[in-house]
Amino acid sequence: MENLDINKIAKMIDHTELKSNSGQKKILNLCNEAKMFGFVSVCINPHYVKFAYEQLKDSDVLVCSVIGFPLGMNTSRLKALEAEQAVRDGAEEIDMVINVGALRDKNYDFVLEDIRQVVKASAPSHVKVILETCYLTDEQIVKACQLCVEAGAHFVKTSTGFGAFGAFPHHVKLMRETVGPDIGVKAAGGISNFKDAIRLINAGANRLGTSAGVLILEGAKFFKFAPEAWLEPEIPCHICPSRHANIAKLPKAVYAYYKKKCLTCEYRDKYNRFYD
Amino acid sequence: MFGWMGKIIKIDISNGKQETIKITNELRRKYLGGRGLGVKLYSDMCSSQIEPLSPENALIFLTGPLTGIIPTAGRYQVISRSPLTNTICDSSSGGVFGNQLKKTGLDGFIITGKAEKPVYLLITDNGIEIKDASHLWGKNTQQTRDALTEKYSVKASVASIGPAGENQVVYAAIMNDKDRAAGRGGMGAIMGSKHLKAVVAIGSKEIQVAHPDALKELLTKVDRLIDKNPVTGKSLQLLGTSVLVNVINAHGMYPTENFQRGVFNDAEGTSGEKISEVLLQKRSACFKCPIACGRSTKTENKEGEGPEYETVWAFGAQLGINDLTKITEANYLCNELGLDTITTGSTIGCAMELYEKGVFPHELKWGDADILEKLVTDIAYKRGIGAELALGSKKLAEKYGKPELAMQVKGLEIPAYDPRGVQGQALAFATSNRGGCHMRAYMIATEILGSPVFMDRYSINGKPEIVALLQDISAVVDSMILCRFLQLAISISTFTEMVNVVTGLNYSDDELLEVGTRIYNLEREFNSKAGFTRQDDMLPSRFLEEDLEEGSSRNRVVHLDKMLDEYYAVRGWDENGIPMEVTKKKLGI
């Protein structure tokens, strides 16, 4: 990463504002920043799609709308209708949330059809499917990726940013290995600086969802000075989902899965100061 | 000329003789202004053996090429040899004094000599006049400001000393615009030694910008960068710098009772949140600043500015005091008397520990807030116990045979971050050219606040290189001159854009950063000639040998030696911390 191209990173960033308390002024700022800093899209709630489209129609910034957000538990028909309207309002990208409960129940036919309906309703806009990886084991993530490919989705995406934790390189790598080079992998959730961004890009992400895009790009300008020092090898536990597994926020089985991984991890003894 | 005004006046205050100092374009390009140009001019003008409080010593006030143009750039820099540390020293202050000074048509002025009787300088579009200040001598900084603005104009900006500067307390501050301080290193004592009570600046000249349209566009982007950064766009605005009290305490590195502990149990009661709740009247800002971290506050008895983070610590946790009103009033008093709050509080803390250890004869107990007012006043007037405290912690602790109890580097007191919890900041304290200062390289940004990225605060890996980088960027910022908080939100590349659109020059990022490297090396060169070596890049033994017993920074010490070796190698200095010939040659020193 010695020749870090800041413009290339900008073109990987969905400049995101999804909070329930965000007013129109925030969305206006978001659109202006996206044009100013050269982001690929603004990622927003459906309510603001029309407004954002008006701000961006003369630029090359895309409008991306989330669908079934943030829980993914709406009916398939409602998700499809929501996507259809978002596209009609100007969305060129759709980020839908998978039905995590159905996936964990192994109700794969339902999950496949749920995604298919949104893909169909969104055409020709591209669809990214949010897996909410924090609630899934590695095996479930692999299965979800396979279903997304089969359903014709264009991207798989890690997180909503509203779950127990966000994107980790481990999950991104697993997703990239599963979907191959022809499907996009979007990392989202908890990406707050250029070190996070570089880590996830190196793991296989070709799109980043973050509200910290401006900070990431400005911070990345430090990188050319002392690049090795800024990117000192990470203590593996810092970026391991097991380390961030929280008993209060995760399903029992998923929490147990991550903790088991932690107990048997090769790094555990070396970095056991984290377990003092 | 764009950015600069193109004129610096040297004035011998003994006889009033004035001369214009010629600054070549090459010199401006190599040193910018403010700290950088000041250090260069000072090094050329004064020997490294000069006595700081002698008439021969020079005191330099400078603005920078961005002063009066960019938000936050109302600042000025004062450069000389510190009477507290004997290092080369620059002290920076906000407000609007820098803007007013530059609008008189000067980039700055240099004072030498000593007036026979107290004087002040009146600087207007027509030049510099020396005026009698006999009637002001003895007045505090607020009274001095009020008298001079009443005489001249409410638009006049006044930088003055108080009784502490008059009495040459070696950590006396210069105060401007009521409550802004060029606080560190005793620049106020040098003013006092020259019988210079104040400087009044009233200017109306235009500052020329090379590319006004590009500047407008750039400032829109800067506004977004400041707004999007959680520290500059939110925390500092809402809670001021004291937002750090709870943050640093939670990290177990909030120095308590002279750095004996890293957790202050009463932190919440002296936090930024509490200040906002019980004292805050309104936010206050320096020149065009959108952050407005200043706090206009009011207690039952008085009103004023502050306390900011370092001060609420210096009169709070450092002394085991939890009375926010008394802390705040001690801050007001320092502003009026013209004292550096960090050194004042830290020196009192040192005395309290000396008393605790049974070697200091005067009773000073942890947590005793009632003594603050008298102690601070006595320091400014050098009377009673105050005469001893006016020495600063290093000399005080040496006097009582316990030099290890002074929490200082090169004689300058370390501010409110226990180095044991932040290895990079520890190295920054140790290698700071003006002594124990957090502003030479604010490693807290990366080690605690995650700006621009989080670095493991306990690790020494990569820290020497990043400390050197931040020291160099800081030297650039102090020379342009901008508020250092912008450094949290803005990279060197954006600073380069600023300098280029304002001055019309075409610095590359690398060249601008090299300006910072050059300044840092020149400062180091001056200190080396003055006798400073590796032994002075040292932290108090407490940080190298004693663990903290509680909090999340417990069971750790600073690994300074390992980092120093690597740092010197990064810098191109020899094993004694002295710049090598090849380094100086490369930088054109």
Side-chain angles (χ1 to χ4, degrees), chain A residues 33 193 218 224-225 232 273, chain B residues 224 452 456 491-492 494 509:
Chain A
E33 287 159 7
N193 58 54
E218 192 65 10
K224 68 177 171 181
F225 307 105
E232 264 298 315
R273 64 191 172 117
Chain B
R224 298 319 306 148
D456 183 348
S491 72
I492 186 82
T494 304
D509 294 353

Side-chain angles (χ1 to χ4, degrees), chain B residues 288-581:
Chain B
K288 291 184 182 174
C289 178
I291 303 170
C293 69
R295 307 286 101 172
S296 292
T297 53
K298 191 177 178 183
T299 66
E300 208 170 291
N301 308 311
K302 296 178 83 174
E303 58 187 295
E305 181 94 2
E308 61 98 42
Y309 172 67
E310 307 297 342
T311 306
V312 82
W313 162 78
F315 292 122
Q318 163 70 356
L319 310 181
I321 289 174
N322 60 8
D323 184 331
L324 188 54
T325 298
K326 291 279 169 57
I327 292 167
T328 304
E329 290 176 352
N331 186 171
Y332 296 163
L333 198 53
C334 282
N335 290 352
E336 290 163 11
L337 298 170
L339 281 168
D340 173 21
T341 55
I342 298 176
T343 292
T344 304
S346 189
T347 302
I348 295 171
C350 173
M352 285 178 167
E353 191 174 354
L354 287 169
Y355 173 74
E356 185 183 54
K357 297 283 192 289
V359 295
F360 193 61
H362 310 282
E363 185 177 87
L364 289 176
K365 287 185 174 173
W366 302 118
D368 186 358
D370 293 333
I371 58 171
L372 278 182
E373 184 180 348
K374 183 172 180 346
L375 280 183
V376 171
T377 308
D378 284 351
I379 288 170
Y381 289 96
K382 284 187 172 174
R383 63 190 179 207
I385 184 177
E388 290 197 76
L389 298 176
L391 295 169
S393 68
K394 183 169 186 273
K395 285 188 178 160
L396 180 74
E398 282 170 357
K399 182 177 174 185
Y400 287 96
K402 292 274 185 189
E404 72 277 10
L405 297 189
M407 299 300 118
Q408 51 76 36
V409 173
K410 303 181 182 75
L412 189 69
E413 287 70 15
I414 294 170
Y417 310 93
D418 193 304
R420 286 165 286 195
V422 267
Q423 296 287 333
Q425 189 64 59
L427 178 65
F429 285 150
T431 58
S432 159
N433 285 333
R434 72 171 185 180
C437 166
H438 58 302
M439 297 306 287
R440 303 287 97 165
Y442 192 57
M443 288 295 287
I444 297 302
T446 179
E447 294 183 302
I448 300 294
L449 304 176
S451 174
V453 296
F454 272 111
M455 294 185 83
D456 183 348
R457 67 189 177 110
Y458 305 128
S459 169
I460 64 171
N461 294 340
K463 299 293 173 64
E465 206 174 347
I466 300 301
V467 167
L469 175 65
L470 294 193
Q471 285 171 338
D472 292 349
I473 296 175
S474 301
V476 170
V477 175
D478 287 344
S479 304
M480 293 190 290
I481 308 166
L482 295 173
C483 173
R484 297 285 293 284
F485 284 142
L486 290 191
Q487 239 178 292
L488 294 168
I490 292 173
S491 72
I492 186 82
S493 303
T494 304
F495 290 136
T496 306
E497 286 183 65
M498 285 182 186
V499 176
N500 288 346
V501 298
V502 169
T503 65
L505 300 178
N506 57 342
Y507 285 95
S508 65
D509 294 353
D510 289 324
E511 191 187 357
L512 193 65
L513 188 61
E514 192 177 76
V515 170
T517 312
R518 183 179 298 115
I519 294 165
Y520 214 81
N521 275 270
L522 186 60
E523 290 170 344
R524 174 60 60 145
E525 177 74 355
F526 181 93
N527 286 351
S528 299
K529 285 180 182 164
F532 288 85
T533 66
R534 183 186 183 115
Q535 288 178 335
D536 300 291
D537 287 340
M538 190 47 61
L539 294 170
S541 57
R542 172 163 290 167
F543 304 128
L544 308 175
E545 295 164 5
E546 298 172 24
D547 292 341
L548 288 165
E549 289 178 4
E550 59 178 329
S552 65
S553 297
R554 70 193 184 282
N555 300 333
R556 294 176 196 280
V557 293
V558 177
H559 305 293
L560 185 59
D561 257 353
K562 278 185 194 169
M563 288 193 286
L564 265 187
D565 289 338
E566 194 182 327
Y567 173 83
Y568 290 162
V570 168
R571 279 283 183 206
W573 297 349
D574 68 16
E575 68 275 12
N576 264 323
I578 295 168
M580 292 190 281
E581 285 306 317

Side-chain angles (χ1 to χ4, degrees), chain B residues 245-300:
Chain B
V245 172
N246 283 332
V247 175
I248 301 301
N249 197 50
H251 282 78
M253 42 178 275
Y254 192 48
T256 301
E257 296 181 358
N258 206 31
F259 290 78
Q260 293 185 88
R261 292 183 286 116
V263 177
F264 184 46
N265 292 335
D266 294 325
E268 180 64 41
T270 61
S271 63
E273 290 84 343
K274 185 58 84 176
I275 290 169
S276 292
E277 191 183 318
V278 301
L279 298 174
L280 182 67
Q281 299 298 298
K282 62 174 184 178
R283 293 160 57 201
S284 61
C286 297
F287 176 78
K288 291 184 182 174
C289 178
I291 303 170
C293 69
R295 307 286 101 172
S296 292
T297 53
K298 191 177 178 183
T299 66
E300 208 170 291

Side-chain angles (χ1 to χ4, degrees), chain A residues 136-143 170-171 174 257-258 261:
Chain A
L136 305 176
T137 64
D138 285 0
E139 292 73 16
Q140 288 165 337
I141 289 169
V142 169
K143 183 64 188 173
H170 169 77
H171 291 147
L174 188 64
Y257 168 80
Y258 280 122
K261 280 183 77 171

